[in-house]
């Protein structure tokens, strides 16, 4: 069943406890900080019901109409089709958003691949993951990701400090487990549920097992409190900050104050190997839609820089063209990694089709770690007017309009209004509070850089280069290119 935007909004009216700027939010669907992004997610639901988009956003499975964006991939075309759907969606909303469900659902597919591991502890848990994957698909659930605890002092074991610094099980009951702690989580306040799992860590110490818990948390469950950072929407007029006011994905410190997780929502607990497994495979699917968003961010930067250069005639200069070409090389590098990861996709242990892991993780490193530098090239190409241009009110006011029209009209094609609009868009993309936040989002929201590097290290097959050097250098047959202990395939 494909939900409508209205059904999604009604689902958020579950009495959930949300706080922002010291204020208790009565209705997340109309609060100014959340309304724009709730509208975007509603649009994602509604668009699948429109004739022009029906086949792009929906497909038939098990007698139901389901979302293309939530489909378990088993064929290459499934990856191309979800790419096409996202492309259509971003063009429709005229912006880019990341945590709207499709980018996080893949984390559960990774756990599905590990049913054998889960079966070791209790077969009930393996069934739970299949049931939840079906439920997300058939009930069209908005599902987000809860990985990161406040963590406290990392040089001290969790048990030896405030134990709530990491989410842990405090009690087992007939109805389920009771958990305490907190997680940082984008979009939690306006999502339906989250897949909660242990944070990035070594997960080798069995004594940490109270902390090795994976489950589904319902966002309106008793004891769940959403304490949100300040929003960017409403800071200035939409004409001045079009992205801040349209696409801010509000992040939450989700506090879990003795929350009951029913048994059917538990995937593993008191199971350090489960924690190790999920941490080593978590992003094998979801890295794809995450990196795909950065391709669109790159296009927005290239478009903004190129329009600015055309407005000002700077695109005729060779040195400027070289900077634009650097941006294009970054953009095409992302596209090449994504396309190649589909073309060379691999069958997963659970029988799904995962993007080629080494190519996907290399693409994630390329996209995330080079973003600051490319963003700065775009900023530089847009010039200093990016940050000194007055706001729309000044362009409209009778005392200043004539001067704004005079100094911001470049020629007959480029009048002041278009110049102002382009500079406002570029400022919000590159220079605003929102722009800085998005840059940090890309660096951290899925995992931090060191973790991206580890994922690539674990998934790249080193035997090729090792064998090559063994042959070319004439090394003896006593040494073997295969590692003594096989790496976990496709870690994230
Ligand atoms: C905008 C934004 C959105 C987010 N959304 C979500 C979300 O939706 N869900 C979610 O679960 N989390 C989310 N996060 C949290 C994110 O996953 C964490 O920020 C990330 O895992 C890093 O944890 P930390 O911030 O506690 O940094 P720390 O763990 O304190 O690390 C800080 C730095 O220390 C260094 N470092 C730490 N440990 C190591 C190590 N073992 N090896 C090498 N260097 C190391 C690295 O330089 C690292 O960047 C979000 C974060 C941001 C900024």
């Amino acid at each position: 069943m494909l939900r409508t935007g209205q059904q999604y909004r009604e689902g958020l009216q579950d009495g959930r406890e949300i706080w922002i700027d010291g204020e208790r939010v009565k209705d997340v669907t109309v609060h100014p900080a959340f309304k724009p992004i709730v509208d975007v997610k509603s649009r994602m639901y509604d668009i699948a019901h429109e004739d022009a988009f029906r086949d792009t956003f929906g497909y038939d499975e098990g007698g139901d109409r389901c979302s293309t964006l939530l489909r378990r991939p088993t064929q290459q075309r499934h990856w191309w089709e979800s790419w096409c759907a996202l492309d259509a969606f971003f063009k429709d909303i005229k912006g880019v958003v990341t945590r709207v469900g499709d980018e996080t659902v893949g984390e559960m597919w990774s756990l599905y691949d590990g049913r054998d591991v889960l079966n070791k502890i209790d077969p009930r848990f393996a069934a739970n993951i299949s049931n939840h994957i079906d439920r997300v698909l058939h009930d069209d659930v908005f599902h987000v990701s809860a990985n990161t605890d406040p963590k406290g002092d990392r040089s001290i074991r969790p048990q030896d400090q405030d134990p709530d610094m990491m989410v842990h099980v405090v009690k087992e009951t007939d109805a389920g487990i009771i958990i305490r702690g907190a997680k940082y989580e984008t979009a939690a306040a306006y999502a339906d549920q989250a897949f909660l799992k242990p944070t990035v860590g070594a997960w080798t110490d069995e004594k940490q097992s109270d902390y090795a818990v994976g489950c589904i948390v319902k966002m309106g469950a008793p004891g769940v409190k959403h304490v949100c950072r300040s929003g960017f929407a409403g800071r200035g007029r939409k004409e001045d900050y079009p992205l801040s006011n349209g696409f801010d994905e509000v992040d939450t410190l989700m506090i879990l104050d003795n929350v009951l997780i029913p048994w059917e929502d538990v995937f593993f607990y008191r199971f350090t190997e489960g924690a190790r497994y999920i941490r080593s495979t978590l992003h094998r699917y979801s890295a794809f839609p995450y990196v795909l968003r950065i391709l669109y961010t790159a296009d927005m930067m290239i478009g903004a820089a190129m329009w600015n250069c055309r407005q000002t005639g700077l695109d005729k200069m060779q040195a400027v063209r070289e900077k634009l070409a650097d941006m294009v090389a970054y953009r095409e590098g992302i596209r090449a990694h994504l396309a190649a990861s589909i073309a060379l996709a691999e069958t997963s242990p659970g029988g799904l089709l995962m993007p080629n892991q080494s190519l996907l993780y290399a693409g994630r490193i390329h996209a995330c770690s080079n973003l600051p530098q490319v963003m700065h090239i775009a900023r530089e190409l847009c010039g200093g007017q990016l940050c000194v241009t007055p706001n729309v009110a000044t362009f409209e006011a009778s005392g200043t309009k004539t001067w704004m029209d005079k100094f911001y009209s470049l020629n007959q094609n480029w009048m002041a209004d278009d110049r102002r609009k382009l500079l406002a868009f570029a400022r919000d993309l590159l220079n605003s509070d929102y722009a800085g936040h998005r840059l940090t989002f890309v660096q951290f929201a899925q995992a931090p850089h060191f973790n991206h590097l580890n994922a690539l290290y674990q998934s790249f097959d080193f035997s090729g280069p090792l064998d090559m050097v063994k042959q070319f250098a004439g090394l003896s047959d006593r040494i073997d290119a295969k590692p003594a202990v096989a790496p976990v395939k496709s870690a994230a």
Side-chain angles (χ1 to χ4, degrees), residues 353-371:
L353 191 75
M354 52 187 191
N356 183 284
Q357 296 291 281
S358 181
L359 285 166
L360 178 59
Y361 289 136
R364 185 167 68 170
I365 291 169
H366 168 72
C368 296
S369 61
N370 289 317
L371 179 62

Side-chain angles (χ1 to χ4, degrees), residues 99 145-148 151 154 184-186 251 441 444 448 450:
R99 204 132 290 174
S145 168
N147 301 314
T148 308
K151 300 189 285 283
R154 255 63 63 75
Y184 287 103
E185 210 176 309
T186 306
D251 313 281
F441 180 93
F444 283 104
F450 73 85

Side-chain angles (χ1 to χ4, degrees), residues 319-337:
V320 168
R321 289 182 174 185
E322 285 173 15
K323 289 178 189 173
L324 286 160
D326 277 338
M327 296 179 73
V328 173
Y330 168 72
R331 186 260 186 212
E332 289 294 72
I334 299 173
R335 188 163 74 104
H337 279 98

Side-chain angles (χ1 to χ4, degrees), residues 61-254:
E61 181 174 324
D64 267 345
R65 195 76 185 149
C66 299
S67 168
T68 306
L69 291 168
L70 303 179
R71 173 167 49 192
R72 274 166 292 199
T74 53
Q75 301 174 37
Q76 280 183 339
R77 74 176 174 83
H78 295 159
W79 286 104
W80 293 119
E81 285 169 10
S82 64
W83 187 330
C84 284
L86 273 180
D87 185 76
F89 184 62
F90 294 152
K91 285 174 180 156
D92 181 80
I93 61 169
K94 300 184 175 58
V96 176
V97 287
T98 303
R99 204 132 290 174
V100 281
D102 65 294
E103 179 258 345
T104 34
V105 70
E107 294 183 347
M108 289 212 299
W109 303 336
S110 301
L111 196 55
Y112 173 83
D113 282 342
R115 282 164 301 167
D116 291 348
V117 179
L118 298 180
N119 259 324
K120 275 191 200 169
I121 178 164
D122 190 333
R124 276 182 310 168
F125 295 144
N128 287 351
I129 184 70
S130 302
N131 293 342
H132 269 288
I133 288 176
D134 283 344
R135 208 187 132 245
V136 165
L137 188 63
H138 292 281
D139 294 352
D140 209 2
V141 171
F142 180 12
H143 171 102
V144 292
S145 168
N147 301 314
T148 308
D149 310 76
K151 300 189 285 283
D153 183 342
R154 255 63 63 75
S155 66
I156 306 173
R157 287 193 331 159
Q159 289 91 338
D160 299 333
Q161 54 183 316
D162 181 338
D164 297 344
M165 285 296 180
M166 283 177 43
V167 171
H168 58 122
V169 178
V170 288
K171 201 171 162 193
E172 189 179 321
T173 72
D174 290 345
I177 53 174
I178 312 274
I179 60 172
R180 274 188 79 72
K183 293 277 188 188
Y184 287 103
E185 210 176 309
T186 306
Y190 49 92
D192 299 314
Q193 64 181 39
F195 172 19
L196 178 144
K197 78 292 280 180
T199 193
V200 177
W203 295 109
T204 49
D205 182 354
E206 287 301 327
K207 293 194 177 122
Q208 289 186 324
S209 62
D210 282 354
Y211 295 83
V213 55
C215 60
I216 291 291
V217 181
K218 304 278 169 37
M219 297 295 92
V224 174
K225 298 165 198 299
H226 302 265
V227 181
C228 304
R229 64 153 168 85
S230 298
F232 299 114
R235 296 195 203 172
R237 281 171 59 177
K238 189 160 189 178
E239 291 92 328
D240 290 317
Y241 295 96
L243 304 177
S244 304
N245 280 291
F247 308 106
D248 181 23
E249 302 183 59
V250 182
D251 313 281
T252 296
L253 175 63
M254 182 183 73

Side-chain angles (χ1 to χ4, degrees), residues 289-341:
Y290 190 75
V291 175
L292 184 55
R293 266 58 181 203
I294 308 172
L295 181 66
Y296 286 86
T297 303
D299 276 351
M300 288 197 291
M301 293 190 297
I302 293 170
M306 189 61 157
W307 276 125
N308 183 68
C309 292
R310 290 215 179 146
Q311 282 186 348
T312 54
L314 289 170
D315 61 323
K316 314 284 183 305
M317 294 173 67
Q318 173 62 21
V320 168
R321 289 182 174 185
E322 285 173 15
K323 289 178 189 173
L324 286 160
D326 277 338
M327 296 179 73
V328 173
Y330 168 72
R331 186 260 186 212
E332 289 294 72
I334 299 173
R335 188 163 74 104
H337 279 98
L338 291 173
S341 75

